[in-house]
Amino acid sequence: LPQFVAYTQYILERNVRKQVDNIVSHPWIPDSISVRGFVYDVRTGRLHEVRTKGQGAKEPAVTSGTLSA
């Protein structure tokens, strides 16, 4: 995978993670509501669920064109 592709995936996942955190932390959203985030892969047509910090996810790091958690 070229480095820019891996970095783009990292940016998308980081953005989704941030948006989920924003929604979950909003005072109008009760704790009983489950909020999840996904990234759509246009090449495969599949959805990839982005794990949030509440689900035990670590912030991925970009190293030599690949993502590592």
Side-chain angles (χ1 to χ4, degrees):
L1 225 78
Q3 186 171 1
F4 70 91
V5 172
Y7 187 70
T8 301
Q9 183 70 20
Y10 165 75
I11 295 291
L12 286 171
E13 289 186 11
R14 186 176 67 180
N15 182 273
V16 169
R17 197 172 286 116
K18 181 178 178 182
Q19 296 308 319
V20 169
D21 288 342
N22 286 341
I23 293 168
V24 168
S25 66
H26 194 281
W28 292 354
I29 305 299
D31 291 338
S32 60
I33 300 292
S34 176
V35 180
R36 297 163 58 191
F38 296 85
V39 172
Y40 176 71
D41 187 331
V42 295
R43 291 177 304 175
T44 65
R46 293 180 179 225
L47 288 175
H48 165 72
E49 185 169 9
V50 177
R51 294 178 57 117
T52 62
K53 291 178 184 172
Q55 297 170 320
K58 298 177 186 173
E59 190 70 25
V62 176
T63 53
S64 45
T66 60
L67 292 175
S68 60

